[in-house]
Amino acid sequence: MLPRAEQKLQTRQALLDAARHLMESGRGFGSISLREVAKTAGIVPTGFYRHFCDLDQLGLALVNEVDETFRQTIRLVRHNEFELGGITDASVRIFLDVVAANRAQFLFLAREQYGGSQPVRQAIAKLREGISSDLAADLKRMPRWRHLDDAALGVMADLVVKTVFATLPELIDSPGEPVPGQLSAQAKITQQLRFIFVGAKYWQGLGDLR
């Protein structure tokens, strides 16, 4: 028999997995019930409350989980950029590999950034802001962006992160072969990021807007 603490951790993880499983069928987090999550995890509904006080708290745990995965991915991309001299294509490939390996987590992130649970939406917005801030700090260390001040670096980082978040649904649920004349989701995000980086390379600021 498993130690009590380990068994509790396993049951908690089973509840997180159950929620993601229910959402993989196309449902939003706000449409699943506590009873469904408990049943899918193989426990009685009252057992849910030993781990979470309500579904919103479970949703926040799901955000924390994908936050850690996202930040691990950024560290891989950062290593590719700083240590290996990577380019946009390689960085996108790294990101897509992690998304594919953790599809359920990123599916939750893609859908619930505009979902029905306010605490979850707010947590995802905070996650996005934190990633943007970290990216701006990374960009500041790169010689190619020395001509940009902190405000411009912040705008650039915000554009990159919002582009990635906006493209997540297409990256996760690709419609298959793109129609003639249209880019695949991977090609589209690569081109979008190139637009941002090329524009930033030649950015001279807006001057005095007063």
Side-chain angles (χ1 to χ4, degrees):
M1 178 177 280
L2 291 173
R4 190 178 189 86
E6 186 176 348
Q7 187 176 33
K8 186 174 181 179
L9 284 174
Q10 285 193 359
T11 304
R12 183 180 188 278
Q13 187 60 50
L15 288 166
L16 296 173
D17 293 340
R20 280 194 297 267
H21 175 74
L22 290 168
M23 287 185 286
E24 280 190 287
S25 65
R27 298 170 62 186
F29 180 73
S31 73
I32 64 177
S33 70
L34 184 154
R35 186 173 296 276
E36 286 178 299
V37 172
K39 181 179 179 180
T40 304
I43 65 172
V44 296
T46 53
F48 178 96
Y49 295 105
R50 298 191 186 101
H51 306 275
F52 303 102
C53 64
D54 56 25
L55 277 174
D56 279 338
Q57 190 181 55
L58 182 146
L60 295 180
L62 290 170
V63 174
N64 288 336
E65 203 170 52
V66 72
D67 186 6
E68 179 57 30
T69 302
F70 211 127
R71 291 181 185 277
Q72 288 176 359
T73 309
I74 298 244
R75 286 194 285 270
L76 286 173
V77 172
R78 182 185 296 133
H79 174 77
N80 186 65
E81 180 64 43
F82 285 111
E83 304 297 332
L84 306 179
I87 56 176
T88 302
D89 305 65
S91 297
V92 169
R93 184 68 261 163
I94 290 170
F95 180 73
L96 292 182
D97 286 346
V98 175
V99 169
N102 300 275
R103 182 181 181 277
Q105 285 189 25
F106 283 94
L107 181 65
F108 166 77
L109 182 64
R111 288 178 178 164
E112 297 311 314
Q113 58 184 316
Y114 308 115
S117 167
Q118 184 179 19
V120 169
R121 284 200 316 272
Q122 291 174 337
I124 292 175
K126 185 176 180 181
L127 178 160
R128 188 172 58 232
E129 290 170 4
I131 292 170
S132 293
S133 178
D134 290 347
L135 178 57
D138 284 343
L139 294 171
K140 189 172 183 177
R141 294 167 53 200
M142 299 179 186
R144 75 186 72 172
W145 309 122
R146 283 177 182 165
H147 65 291
L148 299 176
D149 60 18
D150 288 350
L153 288 170
V155 170
M156 180 181 173
D158 187 59
L159 278 171
V160 169
V161 173
K162 284 182 177 176
T163 296
V164 170
F165 270 69
T167 316
L168 271 176
E170 291 180 70
L171 296 173
I172 294 168
D173 287 322
S174 175
E177 289 296 321
V179 298
Q182 288 189 356
L183 296 174
S184 66
Q186 179 179 344
K188 185 187 295 183
I189 192 173
T190 303
Q191 293 284 52
Q192 288 173 336
L193 293 176
R194 283 177 180 164
F195 267 103
I196 295 170
F197 294 142
V198 170
K201 181 178 179 181
Y202 297 102
W203 181 251
Q204 298 298 322
L206 295 174
D208 190 348
L209 297 178
R210 291 177 296 178

